[in-house]
Amino acid sequence: MKNIFLLLALTIAIISCNRAKEKTKDTINKGGEVVGKTATEFFEGVSEGVEKTLQCEIVLSQLLKDNGVNTGKFAIGNDTAGGQNNLLTIYLIFDKDFKNELSVKVFDKSGLESGRTKMKVEAKAAEAKYYDFAFDTRTNIEVKSKITIE
């Protein structure tokens, strides 16, 4: 009789431990989910804030706007000649036929010119595509630079 009671008590203890273990595991998993979601949202917010703060300003001349030229996305990268942050890749949209040379200038956050380049561009109305403007390898398109396109 004593052995049956001991076996029954041992079985109840094991079942109780397994339930407690499962509840603890579920609680930890749910807590981890919340922390993971919060951390992801935090880092997305930080990176968006940094992206907005570091982003350069693109200024298109009024003459180009009047001729049906608009800009889309752009990126700053490294050219194949070994420059650092000296390549402007920009999406240009043409509402009218266009055939002209574009002049692109880079100004640092203090307003000092740090580079310029030119490229002949020809496009038909309703066309759009990416263009790469490579600057001298010594040009570094810095944080908060102003880029003008004329």
Side-chain angles (χ1 to χ4, degrees), residues 32-127:
E33 258 181 63
V34 170
V35 168
K37 285 180 184 177
T38 302
T40 299
E41 289 172 5
F42 172 77
F43 286 114
E44 282 177 357
V46 168
S47 67
E48 284 177 10
V50 167
E51 195 174 286
K52 287 178 185 173
T53 302
L54 299 180
Q55 195 170 41
C56 298
E57 177 187 7
I58 300 286
V59 178
L60 197 61
S61 74
Q62 190 59 48
L63 182 61
L64 288 176
K65 289 178 187 177
D66 293 343
N67 283 304
V69 180
N70 293 296
T71 61
K73 292 188 86 158
F74 71 93
I76 307 300
N78 304 331
D79 74 356
T80 56
Q84 294 291 317
N85 295 326
N86 70 323
L87 179 70
L88 168 68
T89 299
I90 188 164
Y91 190 73
L92 294 177
I93 305 158
F94 302 91
D95 295 332
K96 301 176 184 176
D97 287 353
F98 184 84
K99 183 178 180 182
N100 210 337
E101 186 172 70
L102 294 181
S103 174
V104 182
K105 298 176 187 173
V106 176
F107 299 88
D108 68 11
K109 61 186 173 187
S110 299
L112 295 174
E113 185 176 338
S114 60
R116 64 171 68 186
T117 189
K118 292 181 179 183
M119 178 192 302
K120 290 183 181 179
V121 173
E122 187 173 342
K124 297 286 183 197
E127 285 186 344

